[in-house]
Amino acid sequence: RQLQLLLPTVQVFLDVDDLVEIGDLEWYIEASQCIMIFLSKGYFFSRNCLRELHHSVHVSKPLVLVHEVDPGKGGAPIETMKSDCPEDVRDKVFGGGEQPLRDVIEWHRISDFQLVSLKMIAARLLHASPKFSSRSMPVLYVPGEMSSLSLGFKKPTHMFVSKNNPGAALVADELRARYKSAGSRETQQFTFTYDMPHSMASVNFDGDEIFGTHTNLAVGAAEAMAGAAEAMANLSINTTKKALETTRKSFLRSSTSSAATQVTHMLLYLAHSTFE
């Protein structure tokens, strides 16, 4: 229903709400201009969902794939969804073989990110309509959305990025490219470095200190994380958060603000490979 707020005149048929007679399922598929498939755990094991899917492919209806990524909401890895999909329609649904790869839209629940998901869905629905089918994919904007705001850094920000933290440099580089200095086009307020600050060079990071039994914890930042990766991978998430907070406080205590290039922040990019 949120989609109708973006496209007020769109008519949405939702099978769980609007289907009166299960025998009419194929008729509703044929009466629709575009079929949106919400990929969640068990979708490809539902007999009626497979009826919709097979008939959509049979009559060559445009498909929009939306992926539930939250396991708590029934989400499953996209590779699992692909393997669950019947082999006879897999390439036509996801692409592959002689079929072009199809985009899969991740469904988010945080409002700003969810709006991105909704815009992507709306753009593909419009592109499937007669008016837009012969044009390129429409680009949609919503008043007040995050991407329309002019964001920037008001104060000089110099970030330390560890080369041992996979993905961190890409995030830092995108920050530098996208968010210029607020109110000034001449001075770049955001910079980052791979050089570890001197205050972080001496690190003592053992299991006892992670649990807080020592009071003289002196931890800098990302280089310490690299050295403690194996230990932290075996700790509970609460203990890991505690260690990161101690690291952050120690790093802030060791920083000074006299030099223009003094490191003010550390970027820690958390992913599956961070503590491997």
Side-chain angles (χ1 to χ4, degrees):
R1 301 311 179 191
Q2 296 180 61
L3 188 61
Q4 291 178 311
L5 297 177
L6 289 181
L7 303 174
T9 60
V10 70
Q11 293 183 339
V12 178
F13 170 77
L14 192 61
D15 54 6
V16 295
D17 291 341
D18 303 323
L19 183 62
V20 177
E21 173 55 53
I22 192 64
D24 294 335
L25 197 57
E26 285 78 8
W27 181 88
Y28 280 108
I29 293 294
E30 295 184 21
S32 302
Q33 288 183 337
C34 185
I35 309 299
M36 187 182 76
I37 298 177
F38 194 76
L39 299 171
S40 59
K41 190 183 302 180
Y43 174 84
F44 293 113
F45 299 103
S46 166
R47 187 172 68 89
N48 288 326
C49 288
L50 288 179
R51 280 178 59 192
E52 293 176 336
L53 178 66
H54 279 95
H55 199 67
S56 297
V57 171
H58 176 69
V59 296
S60 300
K61 288 293 181 179
L63 301 179
V64 177
L65 305 183
V66 182
H67 178 214
E68 173 59 76
V69 296
D70 185 354
K73 302 292 184 179
I78 192 63
E79 293 304 322
T80 300
M81 302 303 303
K82 289 181 179 180
S83 64
D84 290 344
C85 182
E87 189 175 355
D88 60 323
V89 294
R90 187 178 300 153
D91 286 350
K92 293 184 177 180
V93 173
F94 292 99
E98 298 181 355
Q99 304 294 326
L101 293 178
R102 192 186 304 276
D103 291 335
V104 179
I105 301 170
E106 290 190 0
W107 179 247
H108 299 281
R109 286 183 167 78
I110 299 176
S111 59
D112 286 316
F113 298 107
Q114 187 178 87
L115 181 58
V116 175
S117 299
L118 287 168
K119 284 171 43 181
M120 295 175 70
I121 295 170
R124 281 154 182 77
L125 294 181
L126 286 174
H127 196 236
S129 66
K131 184 176 180 180
F132 291 92
S133 59
S134 60
R135 308 179 187 181
S136 58
M137 186 75 68
V139 179
L140 306 180
Y141 296 95
V142 176
E145 67 174 287
M146 183 71 71
S147 62
S148 67
L149 302 179
S150 179
L151 304 178
F153 292 87
K154 292 183 178 180
K155 298 179 180 180
T157 302
H158 191 54
M159 182 176 287
F160 167 54
V161 178
S162 172
K163 294 180 180 179
N164 296 322
N165 185 194
L170 292 175
V171 174
D173 196 49
E174 185 170 348
L175 282 170
R176 179 172 59 183
R178 288 185 176 230
Y179 303 119
K180 305 296 183 180
S181 306
S184 173
R185 298 191 178 186
E186 298 179 359
T187 305
Q188 174 59 275
Q189 296 280 59
F190 176 82
T191 55
F192 71 91
T193 180
Y194 296 119
D195 297 328
M196 183 173 61
H198 180 72
S199 59
M200 299 182 185
S202 299
V203 173
N204 183 12
F205 202 127
D206 60 36
D208 290 336
E209 289 177 320
I210 290 175
F211 282 95
T213 57
H214 292 342
T215 59
N216 62 342
L217 181 61
V219 179
E223 299 298 325
M225 296 304 174
E230 183 176 353
M232 294 182 72
N234 296 322
L235 298 176
S236 68
I237 188 62
N238 288 333
T239 304
T240 301
K241 288 180 178 178
K242 184 177 180 180
L244 294 176
E245 178 62 16
T246 305
T247 298
R248 185 186 71 84
K249 290 179 179 178
S250 178
F251 169 53
L252 292 178
R253 285 197 303 268
S254 66
S255 298
T256 60
S257 58
S258 57
T261 57
Q262 172 67 42
V263 169
T264 60
H265 295 76
M266 179 197 75
L267 174 62
L268 178 60
Y269 184 79
L270 294 176
H272 291 294
S273 59
T274 300
F275 298 124
E276 291 181 354

